[in-house]
Amino acid sequence: MKNADTEKRVCPRCGQAYSGRPALSRKDNRTLVCEDCGTRDALESIGIGREEQDLILAAIHRYCGKHGQN
């Protein structure tokens, strides 16, 4: 049986392949999305615009060592 944390998925929102735990979209509370899109949902919900979201995600990727996502 595959471990849900290592299973490869494609995010329905951004189209990027990812592994790890998916996030539950805040837009419909049903769709599973990648971590970045889940983070974007959360940031949008508090009024943070796309440019600042990009900066925040870049900082997260630098800190966590992620590359090539969104």
Side-chain angles (χ1 to χ4, degrees):
M1 180 159 70
K2 287 186 180 180
N3 181 336
D5 289 346
T6 59
E7 184 178 334
K8 295 287 184 185
R9 298 180 178 87
V10 175
C11 179
R13 179 142 331 127
C14 68
Q16 294 291 317
Y18 71 98
S19 59
R21 292 183 187 227
L24 184 62
S25 173
R26 291 172 182 244
K27 297 190 187 248
D28 66 9
N29 289 319
R30 290 185 309 218
T31 305
L32 297 177
V33 296
C34 69
E35 291 177 0
D36 284 357
C37 287
T39 300
R40 285 188 188 280
D41 278 356
L43 295 171
E44 284 174 10
S45 76
I46 58 172
I48 295 177
R50 184 75 180 194
E51 286 184 26
E52 193 167 357
Q53 291 174 27
D54 291 342
L55 294 172
I56 292 167
L57 285 169
I60 291 169
H61 292 174
R62 276 192 309 273
Y63 178 77
C64 295
K66 294 182 181 180
H67 300 288
Q69 292 189 8
N70 288 353

